[in-house]
Amino acid sequence: GGTFRNMTAGSGLDSALGWWNSINSGDFDNDGDIDYVVGNLGLNTRYKASDKFPIEMYCKDYDDNGSVDHIMTYYSDGIQYPARALNLLYNQMPGMNKKFPDYGKFALSEFSEIFSKQQIDSSACLKATIFENCTLENLGNGKFKIHILPKMAQVSPAFGSSVQDFD
């Protein structure tokens, strides 16, 4: 009908929020339906994402200069920190140097100490909970099961794939 509908709920992919780069199709389990191989960031990165500790991107014009600022965060020992170094935040938001005149205080600050609860709550927030390259097994009726590809397939981001019968 010319419109898209979000069919994620109940698909088995609800919490599979990744940095997806590619998708390719094939009947990988030979059951007659279409399965998918999906490319993601892979695991050769300093960032670790999970349902409990996602990588998050907060977007808002924090310094009211007319441009949207993007702040990526990660968790370490259950505490949320900004992923960018202080000098990069200075470049993005020069007013930060008033709150954090040196690296010492900034390095020990949690994300919630850098930005107010109101700023965080009013931000657009995107998250990633999975970085593995995967296959999606089609279970029928719009439902899928995620299968993590082997360790060797996790060494880099997957920006494409080739579906062939190689044997």
Side-chain angles (χ1 to χ4, degrees):
T3 61
F4 288 103
R5 291 185 303 144
N6 187 340
M7 303 297 289
T8 307
S11 68
L13 305 175
D14 309 50
S15 65
L17 306 171
W19 290 357
W20 305 110
N21 300 308
S22 64
I23 186 167
N24 209 337
S25 61
D27 184 7
F28 305 131
D29 55 4
N30 297 311
D31 65 355
D33 58 20
I34 301 299
D35 307 300
Y36 299 93
V37 60
V38 288
N40 205 350
L41 181 64
L43 298 178
N44 190 12
T45 175
R46 70 181 183 134
Y47 300 117
K48 306 299 176 220
S50 68
D51 287 331
K52 187 173 181 180
F53 299 114
I55 297 293
E56 294 175 300
M57 176 74 74
Y58 292 85
C59 306
K60 178 182 173 71
D61 183 5
Y62 293 101
D63 56 359
D64 296 317
N65 70 351
S67 66
V68 175
D69 303 299
H70 304 85
I71 310 298
M72 190 169 82
T73 66
Y74 68 97
Y75 287 83
S76 178
D77 296 325
I79 299 171
Q80 188 178 28
Y81 295 99
R84 299 187 97 182
L86 182 59
N87 62 328
L88 296 174
L89 281 179
Y90 280 168
N91 292 339
Q92 188 175 345
M93 294 176 279
M96 277 289 187
N97 63 358
K98 293 179 182 131
K99 189 169 187 175
F100 299 100
D102 62 64
Y103 283 86
K105 183 178 177 191
F106 179 79
L108 299 174
S109 296
E110 299 176 23
F111 181 61
S112 61
E113 296 170 330
I114 298 170
F115 297 98
S116 71
K117 180 174 177 12
Q118 189 277 330
Q119 286 177 308
I120 294 169
D121 291 347
S122 64
S123 298
C125 181
L126 303 170
K127 66 174 72 176
T129 58
I130 181 172
F131 283 150
E132 289 91 346
N133 297 303
C134 311
T135 60
L136 305 178
E137 177 187 359
N138 188 339
L139 302 175
N141 297 319
K143 301 202 182 319
F144 294 87
K145 181 177 180 184
I146 296 173
H147 297 278
I148 306 301
L149 288 171
K151 190 179 256 185
M152 193 54 138
Q154 306 302 335
V155 298
S156 70
F159 292 105
S161 59
S162 178
V163 177
Q164 303 291 325
D165 183 2
F166 290 104
D167 61 354

